[in-house]
Amino acid sequence: MTKKFQPFSDDSASLSIGEFTIENGTDKVALYGSLDVMRDKNGLKQAKALKAAVDAIVKALEKDNALPDESGPAEAPQQVKNPFT
C-alpha cells in the first residue's frame, strides 16, 4: 500500500508521476518536471494521481487559517567555490 501524500508534513517525501515530481517541504511544495498525459488508461491514472496531489495541497492550504499574504522571497542563490579548480 502506498502512503498518501501529505503536503507540508515533512521535508523528505516526494511523489513521482512519470517524469513529474512533487517534492514535499514544511514551508513549500515544489512541482517540477514533465508529464505527458496520454489518452489511455495509464494517462487517466496519472491525471488522477496529479489531481489528488494538487487537491491535497489546496486542502492543506485552506485548513491553515494563519496563511500570510506572501511568504517572502525564495532563498537567494549562493556562490560556492568550484571544487575542481
Side-chain angles (χ1 to χ4, degrees):
M1 182 173 170
T2 304
K3 184 180 174 186
K4 185 176 175 184
F5 181 72
Q6 297 178 343
F8 307 106
S9 63
D10 59 55
D11 287 321
S12 62
S14 67
L15 172 66
S16 293
I17 306 168
E19 298 295 317
F20 191 76
T21 301
I22 303 172
E23 196 171 271
N24 212 7
T26 54
D27 293 330
K28 67 178 179 180
V29 175
L31 297 93
Y32 56 89
S34 176
L35 177 62
D36 293 328
V37 177
M38 304 301 289
R39 191 178 178 141
D40 57 20
K41 289 181 181 180
N42 190 51
L44 175 60
K45 180 181 173 184
Q46 291 177 323
K48 285 182 175 182
L50 179 60
K51 181 183 182 307
V54 172
D55 285 348
I57 294 168
V58 171
K59 186 176 180 179
L61 290 169
E62 288 176 337
K63 284 174 56 177
D64 188 348
N65 294 325
L67 284 177
D69 289 337
E70 290 185 37
S71 295
E75 275 185 29
Q78 296 179 1
Q79 187 171 4
V80 296
K81 183 179 177 187
N82 184 342
F84 301 107
T85 59

